[in-house]
Amino acid sequence: MESVAPLPGSPLTLGPDEMPSVGTLAAATMGESALCQNLEAFALPAGAVLYEAETVGIGCFVLVDGSLQVSDEMPHTLAPSLAGLVNTPGTLLSRGSLLEPFLHRHRVVALTDSRLVLLRRARFEDLLAAGDRGAQQLLDFLLTSTMDELRTLNQAVFALMQPNAP
Amino acid sequence: MFHLSHNTFLRRHPLLEGLSQEEAQELLALCAPFRRVAGERLFSQGDPPDGLYIVERGEVAVYTEPPGNDRVMLAEFGNGAVIGEMGLVTKALRSATVEALTSTDGWWLSRQRFEPLQAAGRTSAYRVILHIARMLEQRRRTTEQRLRTLIDEPDRQARLASRPVRELLGALWKA
């Protein structure tokens, strides 16, 4: 039997009103979906690591409250840093890990005591296979945001490859 | 009309991997064959999206056609390639032109025929969407890495300082 990666923090129970909407899903949809029952809530104390760069993602995290520091750990690059403060409830982290066991590109640490929920990739896939509407809408959201970002990336690459203006 | 060989090709294609017999049949029923001679286009940049194409035999090239400039080849694909997958799941106009380099045939999954399946929440449709999302996420990561490499190149610094590039990068870092 496949071992389940442990939660990065201490498990806790959230009230129904505290459960964040995932991927901007409407509350009505969430009510019809088993998505909420598959979210694992946990507390992450200030200073604790949510995940390290170059480790395999187990799923998508959603910030309930608190604040996180995202550090850009990509070596050998002068690129503008993607590092930043995340403190908006409902922010998704590691969303690509819902699709594939990708390696994390960042290190994420709790700046203050924080609460999050985790949706594991395996549970997400199970929900999709069962035809869960909430999971389907979350996938629609992931797809749209990935496409938008890819288009912008392609435009940036193309713009950078143009010859310099005289 | 289906030929058994084509059905087998599609049934074994990674796009339909993991589907039950019923799910696979539901999708196979939506596919129609296509054929292009060398030099003929599958679709053009700016076209409305019409679905995705699966190349069974042949080679195609992807071009971008910047206004006022010569077209630039972005990639070549061969047997088994899935082309124009965004056209199945988005209303955005085609962002590139795809042209057959050799005589090419394969299968077309129509957006118009796929949409009702997606709207009904059919698991067959969402397995395909999951596959597409994985492909796009992988491509997003590769493109981001390419962008980082370009940004590091000393002779790109002038372009990097230009307003359009700064705006694009600003949108990305906020994403």
Side-chain angles (χ1 to χ4, degrees), chain A residues 109-161:
Chain A
V109 179
L111 270 183
T112 59
D113 289 348
S114 302
R115 295 188 302 169
L116 299 100
V117 295
L118 164 66
L119 175 58
R120 294 180 190 270
R121 181 174 51 257
R123 305 310 299 267
F124 179 58
E125 289 173 353
D126 288 346
L127 289 168
L128 281 175
D132 183 279
R133 283 304 279 163
Q136 291 176 347
Q137 290 194 17
L138 177 55
L139 180 57
D140 287 336
F141 170 78
L142 291 173
L143 184 71
T144 304
S145 49
T146 305
M147 283 192 298
D148 289 346
E149 215 171 304
L150 182 59
R151 279 180 191 276
T152 311
L153 278 166
N154 279 328
Q155 288 170 6
V157 166
F158 190 75
L160 268 177
M161 291 180 71

Side-chain angles (χ1 to χ4, degrees), chain A residues 74 76-78 80 82 99 102-103 105 125 133 136 140 147 149 151 155 159-162 164, chain B residues 89 92 118 121 123 126 134 136-138 140-141 143-146 148 152 156 159 168 172-173:
Chain A
M74 297 283 286
H76 319 301
T77 181
L78 303 172
L82 295 173
L99 303 172
F102 289 117
L103 294 181
R105 290 165 300 172
E125 289 173 353
R133 283 304 279 163
Q136 291 176 347
D140 287 336
M147 283 192 298
E149 215 171 304
R151 279 180 191 276
Q155 288 170 6
L160 268 177
M161 291 180 71
Q162 297 305 299
N164 288 328
Chain B
V89 289
Q118 183 181 3
T123 54
Y126 275 90
R134 285 172 173 159
L136 294 177
E137 174 63 17
Q138 185 63 57
R140 191 188 68 77
R141 287 174 172 253
T143 309
E144 185 180 287
Q145 190 54 49
R146 189 175 178 204
R148 285 173 178 272
D152 283 352
R156 304 281 178 202
R159 292 293 304 169
L168 286 166
L172 280 172
W173 306 149

Side-chain angles (χ1 to χ4, degrees), chain B residues 64-135:
Chain B
T64 184
E65 300 180 311
N69 289 301
D70 292 338
R71 67 182 189 172
V72 179
M73 188 192 284
L74 300 175
E76 287 180 39
F77 295 101
N79 297 359
V82 177
I83 307 293
E85 63 283 346
M86 284 197 205
L88 190 69
V89 289
T90 178
K91 291 177 179 160
L93 302 179
R94 294 291 190 188
S95 59
T97 293
V98 177
E99 191 174 291
L101 291 173
T102 63
S103 179
T104 299
D105 60 54
W107 296 90
W108 171 55
L109 178 52
S110 147
R111 171 190 168 80
Q112 198 179 4
R113 301 185 73 189
F114 182 79
E115 268 180 342
L117 230 56
Q118 183 181 3
R122 302 292 297 174
T123 54
S124 58
Y126 275 90
R127 282 192 192 269
V128 170
I129 292 171
L130 180 61
H131 186 88
I132 292 172
R134 285 172 173 159
M135 285 171 61

Side-chain angles (χ1 to χ4, degrees), chain A:
Chain A
M1 189 173 162
E2 193 179 340
S3 64
V4 177
L7 279 175
S10 314
L12 56 81
T13 305
L14 293 179
D17 296 341
E18 293 181 296
M19 197 60 88
S21 64
V22 181
T24 71
L25 298 185
T29 307
M30 293 292 280
E32 297 165 9
S33 165
L35 207 53
C36 268
Q37 292 96 290
N38 284 278
L39 299 176
E40 297 173 56
F42 62 96
L44 196 66
V49 175
L50 180 61
Y51 52 78
E52 296 279 2
E54 305 296 321
T55 57
V56 177
I58 56 173
C60 177
F61 298 95
V62 188
L63 182 64
V64 177
D65 51 33
S67 57
L68 307 166
Q69 178 69 45
V70 180
S71 308
D72 197 345
E73 298 285 320
M74 297 283 286
H76 319 301
T77 181
L78 303 172
S81 175
L82 295 173
L85 174 71
V86 173
N87 60 4
T88 307
T91 301
L92 302 185
L93 295 114
S94 186
R95 61 174 195 226
S97 299
L98 269 186
L99 303 172
E100 291 271 24
F102 289 117
L103 294 181
H104 291 301
R105 290 165 300 172
H106 308 101
R107 180 175 201 257
V108 179
V109 179
L111 270 183
T112 59
D113 289 348
S114 302
R115 295 188 302 169
L116 299 100
V117 295
L118 164 66
L119 175 58
R120 294 180 190 270
R121 181 174 51 257
R123 305 310 299 267
F124 179 58
E125 289 173 353
D126 288 346
L127 289 168
L128 281 175
D132 183 279
R133 283 304 279 163
Q136 291 176 347
Q137 290 194 17
L138 177 55
L139 180 57
D140 287 336
F141 170 78
L142 291 173
L143 184 71
T144 304
S145 49
T146 305
M147 283 192 298
D148 289 346
E149 215 171 304
L150 182 59
R151 279 180 191 276
T152 311
L153 278 166
N154 279 328
Q155 288 170 6
V157 166
F158 190 75
L160 268 177
M161 291 180 71
Q162 297 305 299
N164 288 328

